[in-house]
């Protein structure tokens, strides 16, 4: 058994936030930043995982799982591959990553997908890219204890950087969606840290499940009209309204060739995430507003789970750096340190 290496990208979601665990639609695009994983059998008794960027090393076995959080993603992938019947010998594993951590660009999915791709090569596993995404999601839920949907892992495993990927998270059917002509993606970090597991993410998920239950629907994907939501108590009604309107926005954007129309859908998504889903913060609202005010921006919104992290904007092609250079100082003047993440 030789050495295997693999990589997988982070992603930015253009539209379709908090819809994936409601069986809905999402529209992510891969980013250029990659996570790389290298592995080889070490002939020893234990796994040795070294994360260069974190300056951390974890030692573990299948009977003595790692305590470090970052190692739990890798451990989950190893354990799930073994559960499928593969022989997984003790390995030396090297991880390095360009994907910014904790800003909503799916550094954890990139790590899981790169790890599984590496195991596929090393052990000759018969796994297609959708199965990789499904195993990666299970690693995150069962071993890192975040009840995420499948968007991030599908995007890391299957999306490209030059076009968006429309995914039906119920059927996993997907279709490429070109960016509107003359537009390009800009991502800015708000500088507000975000911890997904500790945030309201699992609570939002539980609220959606409660709303679907009260409506007698298998999931909020199955809601057919806004009027149907009138029977729900206020908070659940607003959560469900976000999911319903967000799914409609994704489907509209997927057939939208005009950048200005696409941008308006992004702006409406942000308002819905702020007012109905309540996952924005004052800093994200400010950064989004500054982006939306710039003449070369078609639309902007928070991206990822929210509660901090990054904003995505659809800009006039080639204007991204100019927009960032105009917006970040205005954001700084309000006392916040943002930075450009993409491109
Ligand atoms: C996180 C989760 C995804 C998705 C988004 C919100 O990124 O991992 O599954 O739910 O939040 O859209």
């Amino acid at each position: 058994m030789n050495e295997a290496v693999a990589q997988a990208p982070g992603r930015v979601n253009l539209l379709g936030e908090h819809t994936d665990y409601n069986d809905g639609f999402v529209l992510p695009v891969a980013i250029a930043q990659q996570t790389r994983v290298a592995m080889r059998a070490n002939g020893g008794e234990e796994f040795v995982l070294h994360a260069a960027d974190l300056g951390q090393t974890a030692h573990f076995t299948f009977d003595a799982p790692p305590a470090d959080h970052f190692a739990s993603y890798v451990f989950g992938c190893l354990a799930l591959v073994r559960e499928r019947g593969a022989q997984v010998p003790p390995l030396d594993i090297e991880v390095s990553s360009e994907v910014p951590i904790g800003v909503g660009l799916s550094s954890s999915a990139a790590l899981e997908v790169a790890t599984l791709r590496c195991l596929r090569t090393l052990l000759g596993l018969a796994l297609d890219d959708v199965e990789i995404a499904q195993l990666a999601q299970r690693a995150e839920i069962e071993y890192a204890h975040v009840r995420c949907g499948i968007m991030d892992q599908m995007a890391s495993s299957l999306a490209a950087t030059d076009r968006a990927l429309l995914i039906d998270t119920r059927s996993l059917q997907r279709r490429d969606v070109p960016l509107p002509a003359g537009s390009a993606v800009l991502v800015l970090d708000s500088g507000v840290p975000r911890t997904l597991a500790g945030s309201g993410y699992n609570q939002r998920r539980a609220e959606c499940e409660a709303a679907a239950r009260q409506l007698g629907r298998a999931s909020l994907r199955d809601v057919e009209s806004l009027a149907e939501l009138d029977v729900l108590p206020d908070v659940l009604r607003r959560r469900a309204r976000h999911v319903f309107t967000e799914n409609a926005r994704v489907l509209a954007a997927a057939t939208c060739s005009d950048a200005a129309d696409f941008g308006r859908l992004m702006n409406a998504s942000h308002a819905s995430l702020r007012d109905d889903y309540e996952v924005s913060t004052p800093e994200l609202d400010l950064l989004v507003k500054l982006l939306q005010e710039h003449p070369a921006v078609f639309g902007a919104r928070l991206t990822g789970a929210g509660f901090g992290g990054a904003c995505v904007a659809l800009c006039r092609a080639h204007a991204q750096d100019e927009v960032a250079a105009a917006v970040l100082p205005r954001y700084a003047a309000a006392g916040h340190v943002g930075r450009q993440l993409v491109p």
Side-chain angles (χ1 to χ4, degrees), residues 225-246:
S225 73
L226 280 178
E228 195 182 315
L229 307 181
D230 287 347
V231 297
L232 294 172
D234 177 58
V235 169
L236 296 191
R237 182 165 39 80
R238 287 188 289 117
R239 303 297 186 254
R241 183 165 62 193
H242 166 73
V243 173
F244 180 84
T245 58
E246 186 79 350

Side-chain angles (χ1 to χ4, degrees), residues 276-337:
D276 278 349
Y277 219 67
E278 295 180 287
V279 294
S280 191
T281 67
E283 296 86 354
L284 287 168
D285 290 343
L286 173 64
L287 188 54
V288 165
K289 176 171 164 286
L290 295 173
L291 283 163
Q292 289 172 348
E293 283 170 3
H294 194 285
V297 171
F298 298 113
R301 55 184 285 277
L302 71 84
T303 187
F307 307 103
C311 300
V312 61
L314 193 71
C315 300
R316 213 172 51 224
H318 312 298
Q320 301 111 299
D321 292 345
E322 170 199 326
V323 170
V327 164
L328 287 174
R330 294 184 66 200
Y331 186 61
H336 310 301
V337 183

Side-chain angles (χ1 to χ4, degrees), residues 9-30:
R11 65 97 187 93
V12 59
N13 190 22
L14 299 183
L15 216 48
E17 220 64 85
H18 292 280
T19 48
D20 62 350
Y21 53 83
N22 291 298
D23 282 350
F25 300 94
V26 294
L27 197 59
V29 57

Side-chain angles (χ1 to χ4, degrees), residues 11 13 16-21 26 104 106 140 146-153 194 196 201 304-306:
R11 65 97 187 93
N13 190 22
E17 220 64 85
H18 292 280
T19 48
D20 62 350
Y21 53 83
V26 294
S106 294
E140 181 126 1
V146 180
R147 293 188 64 211
C148 62
I150 200 164
M151 164 171 67
D152 304 346
Q153 293 78 11
R194 178 201 64 114
L196 192 59
Y201 185 86

Side-chain angles (χ1 to χ4, degrees), residues 92-126:
D92 283 343
I93 306 170
E94 275 292 329
V95 173
S96 63
S97 185
E98 305 155 356
V99 183
I101 294 173
V103 297
L105 297 183
S106 294
S107 57
S108 58
L111 175 56
E112 292 147 6
V113 171
T115 299
L116 288 163
R117 283 180 173 169
C118 204
L119 285 166
R120 173 169 67 185
T121 306
L122 187 76
L123 305 174
L125 306 175

Side-chain angles (χ1 to χ4, degrees), residues 37-260:
V37 174
M39 296 176 176
R40 64 184 155 75
N42 60 25
E45 301 287 312
E46 57 180 24
F47 291 89
V48 182
L49 168 62
H50 181 238
D53 320 275
L54 301 176
Q56 289 186 43
T57 304
H59 299 255
F60 55 87
T61 66
F62 283 119
D63 296 327
D68 323 60
H69 189 65
F70 90 93
S72 63
Y73 299 104
V74 175
F75 179 78
C77 296
L78 295 165
L80 289 171
V81 160
R82 182 173 178 247
E83 187 188 297
R84 287 178 89 252
Q87 295 285 334
V88 187
L91 302 167
D92 283 343
I93 306 170
E94 275 292 329
V95 173
S96 63
S97 185
E98 305 155 356
V99 183
I101 294 173
V103 297
L105 297 183
S106 294
S107 57
S108 58
L111 175 56
E112 292 147 6
V113 171
T115 299
L116 288 163
R117 283 180 173 169
C118 204
L119 285 166
R120 173 169 67 185
T121 306
L122 187 76
L123 305 174
L125 306 175
L127 280 176
D128 66 27
D129 292 340
V130 171
E131 289 168 325
I132 290 228
Q134 289 169 319
L135 282 179
Q137 182 200 20
R138 281 187 58 199
E140 181 126 1
I141 294 175
E142 294 170 28
Y143 293 87
H145 306 295
V146 180
R147 293 188 64 211
C148 62
I150 200 164
M151 164 171 67
D152 304 346
Q153 293 78 11
M154 284 290 285
S156 182
S157 188
L158 289 141
T161 54
D162 59 348
R163 53 192 180 273
L165 187 66
L166 172 66
I167 306 168
D168 177 340
T169 64
R170 173 172 271 171
S171 65
L172 298 187
Q173 280 183 353
R174 56 207 177 272
R175 167 164 80 71
D176 284 343
V177 173
L179 291 182
S183 72
V185 172
L186 168 68
V187 181
L188 299 182
D189 179 17
S190 69
V192 180
R194 178 201 64 114
T195 38
L196 192 59
S199 68
Y201 185 86
N202 287 346
Q203 186 199 347
R204 292 295 179 284
R205 198 172 165 148
E207 287 166 348
C208 289
E209 285 162 3
R213 224 174 12 251
Q214 290 190 31
L215 294 168
R217 297 290 192 182
S219 80
L220 292 181
R221 156 74 174 271
D222 301 315
V223 170
E224 282 167 4
S225 73
L226 280 178
E228 195 182 315
L229 307 181
D230 287 347
V231 297
L232 294 172
D234 177 58
V235 169
L236 296 191
R237 182 165 39 80
R238 287 188 289 117
R239 303 297 186 254
R241 183 165 62 193
H242 166 73
V243 173
F244 180 84
T245 58
E246 186 79 350
N247 277 327
R249 283 186 285 271
V250 174
L251 294 177
T255 56
C256 178
S257 52
D258 183 61

